[in-house]
Amino acid sequence: MNWVALLALLLLGTTLASAGATPLEPTPGWVVLRAKGPPVQIRADRAYLLFRLVRSAGAPPSAPIFWRLPSRDGQAEADLGPNVFDVPFNYLYAINGDERVYLIEADPGDYVALGVHVAGFNYVQKCLCYGTVRFAAKAGEVTDLGHILIGRVDRPSQLPELKGATDIAGFGSFIIVAMGIRPYQQGAFLPPAIPPAAHRPADYRAVGKLPPRLGAFLDRLAPIPGVLAYDEDRVIDLKIEK
Amino acid sequence: MKAQWTLLAAVAGLCGTTPALAQAVAARSPAIDSASIEVPDLRHEPGSGSAGRYFKYFLFHKTGVSYADAVADLSECYQAREAVGVNRLPFYAQVEGGIDRPKPARGTAPYGVVGAVLSGMIERDAKFELRQAALRMCMRFKGYARFGVPKEIWARVADRPAAEAIVIQAKIASNPMPPPGEKVKP
């Protein structure tokens, strides 16, 4: 198979689909809000996730994938609908320089930063199955995930947080991206519509290995100072192990 | 919170070696004695492999690792190699590791007919690439160096049942000298 031609065709297919502007059907429990939509009303019974996406030079349009952990009996949860979601790259809420800002209305619960995919591949292209973080998203609050950082795995990244996760060998036919998280820092851009009283930085905790069946390519989140580190393949929760 | 951590601990435990493969490997290395394992001839002309294929065809080496540890590491990573999946978004995933039938919310062809057809082709034809990528990343995180080899050399070692491939690769990985081949990026 000519993979270059294949990728070109895939990109073409994605472009055509985008041009068709097929609107996303509402997904229960996961609504990606857009600035051109109605003004944000922070509901007391809903959780909100806010993050800024920053890409290294040369990184393709990519989006993170989140997994809301079931809190009840598995089948009862499954009946409610999906719990693994992506964020459509073009569905941004605001833009601030090179930061693309996203806001999602979601079910309250515990979430895992499960993976990342290049836009157009509507599957879990990369699972952060060898180490990632989780966080709680509480009702009535805007949980600020900070910056989500994306870089191509096969190229050096100018983002210091992605060192060690990028500039490795490529994956042949596939363009694969690495992901890191820079937790919220005071002074980060906040859309004016976000009520300060509802704004809460995410409290990240390290998560160990996840089932490899969750994704196509297996990787791990880049280390986060004070939160997540690795000793070879052992995941270290820096909030427990100093 | 405690209950949640219990769930996550269950998740973490799922990545261990499954009994079937572990038993198959153990049957081939009952006393963790690698002396009887025959390593195929790995010699080849330098540069005779396609550098562009080294993302598919490679061997591992880790200085100081024991044969037994190499078997354990490869066994775990072969599990990951066999388990990778293509899960269309969005879908439901249980904490215990099972994934229910995906429940698409964007219609049957969210990226157009071309995208749908190509997605199918990728799922069928790229399975080997996905599996080798999973093996490579898993071993990378365990600290193994990677040596690119021609397809023919790789096939002598690894194109055989997993239990056989694991013990031969473990012997190569734990050998004091790295295998012949080009040391490549992890």
Side-chain angles (χ1 to χ4, degrees):
Chain A
M1 176 180 298
N2 184 332
W3 285 100
V4 175
L6 173 65
L7 282 174
L9 280 169
L10 182 57
L11 287 173
L12 174 65
T14 304
T15 305
L16 290 173
S18 301
T22 306
L24 298 185
E25 294 176 20
T27 302
W30 190 259
V31 180
V32 180
L33 302 173
R34 307 185 73 179
K36 67 182 183 184
V40 175
Q41 299 288 331
I42 304 299
R43 288 171 46 179
D45 62 336
R46 306 293 292 155
Y48 297 83
L49 310 181
L50 172 71
F51 66 87
R52 305 146 198 85
L53 186 75
V54 176
R55 291 181 289 157
S56 291
S62 308
I65 298 164
F66 296 97
W67 178 18
R68 182 177 51 75
L69 297 173
S71 55
R72 289 174 287 178
D73 168 65
Q75 190 53 50
E77 283 276 331
D79 291 342
L80 296 177
N83 65 346
V84 178
F85 306 100
D86 69 328
V87 181
F89 181 77
N90 289 331
Y91 276 44
L92 72 169
Y93 184 77
I95 196 154
N96 178 49
D98 62 353
E99 301 174 353
R100 299 172 67 88
V101 182
Y102 295 85
L103 181 63
I104 299 132
E105 182 183 291
D107 288 337
D110 286 331
Y111 285 80
V112 169
L114 178 64
V116 59
H117 68 148
V118 174
F121 292 83
N122 70 324
Y123 60 94
V124 184
Q125 190 187 34
K126 170 173 275 193
C127 176
L128 302 171
C129 289
Y130 288 123
T132 185
V133 290
R134 68 179 177 89
F135 57 91
K138 296 179 181 172
E141 294 185 356
V142 178
T143 302
D144 192 325
L145 309 183
H147 289 75
I148 300 223
L149 311 171
I150 305 288
R152 279 184 66 143
V153 294
D154 57 347
R155 294 183 184 177
S157 171
Q158 82 275 20
L159 300 169
E161 293 92 340
L162 293 182
K163 282 199 189 316
T166 51
D167 199 18
I168 65 171
F171 289 90
S173 317
F174 297 88
I175 297 172
I176 304 296
V177 293
M179 178 170 147
I181 292 178
R182 183 189 299 154
Y184 172 78
Q185 295 168 338
Q186 195 74 31
F189 172 76
L190 276 182
I194 304 300
H199 178 251
R200 297 279 186 280
D203 181 17
Y204 286 116
R205 299 297 297 266
V207 174
K209 294 178 182 177
L210 303 173
R213 74 186 67 179
L214 286 171
F217 286 92
L218 308 181
D219 200 349
R220 64 191 187 190
L221 191 67
I224 304 174
V227 176
L228 172 70
Y230 303 99
D231 175 15
E232 288 200 338
D233 64 338
R234 188 173 72 87
V235 177
I236 300 172
D237 182 344
L238 291 176
K239 292 190 175 175
I240 295 176
E241 296 183 52
K242 299 294 182 186
Chain B
M1 186 65 71
K2 187 178 178 183
Q4 196 62 72
W5 274 110
T6 305
L7 289 171
L8 291 170
V11 166
L14 285 167
C15 285
T17 305
T18 64
L21 183 55
Q23 286 167 10
V25 172
R28 295 202 156 265
S29 52
I32 314 294
D33 176 15
S34 64
S36 62
I37 297 167
E38 197 170 315
V39 175
D41 186 358
L42 303 178
R43 288 174 297 178
H44 60 276
E45 288 294 319
S48 60
S50 164
R53 293 289 176 193
Y54 287 161
F55 63 88
K56 281 189 190 177
Y57 307 118
F58 43 77
L59 301 171
F60 299 104
H61 185 264
K62 185 176 181 179
T63 303
V65 74
S66 70
Y67 169 73
D69 284 347
V71 167
D73 289 341
L74 279 156
S75 298
E76 181 183 333
C77 292
Y78 258 68
Q79 285 301 310
R81 182 181 185 274
E82 300 305 313
V84 293
V86 176
N87 303 296
R88 292 185 184 283
L89 292 159
F91 61 92
Y92 178 81
Q94 298 175 32
V95 168
E96 292 77 14
I99 297 177
D100 277 8
R101 182 178 58 81
K103 297 176 179 175
R106 298 180 187 173
T108 54
Y111 295 101
V113 174
V114 175
V117 170
L118 290 171
S119 292
M121 292 168 67
I122 287 173
E123 288 174 24
R124 282 196 308 276
D125 298 332
K127 209 170 184 178
F128 179 70
E129 278 188 49
L130 292 179
R131 287 178 169 176
Q132 287 299 87
L135 177 63
R136 177 182 133 194
M137 292 298 267
C138 180
M139 294 295 280
R140 171 189 172 218
F141 295 142
K142 292 178 178 295
Y144 286 77
R146 199 166 64 93
F147 293 82
V149 293
K151 180 180 180 181
E152 297 72 32
I153 300 295
W154 172 86
R156 288 178 200 167
V157 173
D159 192 10
R160 54 178 78 217
E164 289 180 26
I166 285 170
V167 294
I168 297 172
Q169 288 179 89
K171 186 164 181 177
I172 295 168
S174 59
N175 192 53
M177 293 294 291
E182 182 184 337
K183 187 174 182 181
V184 291
K185 286 182 178 180

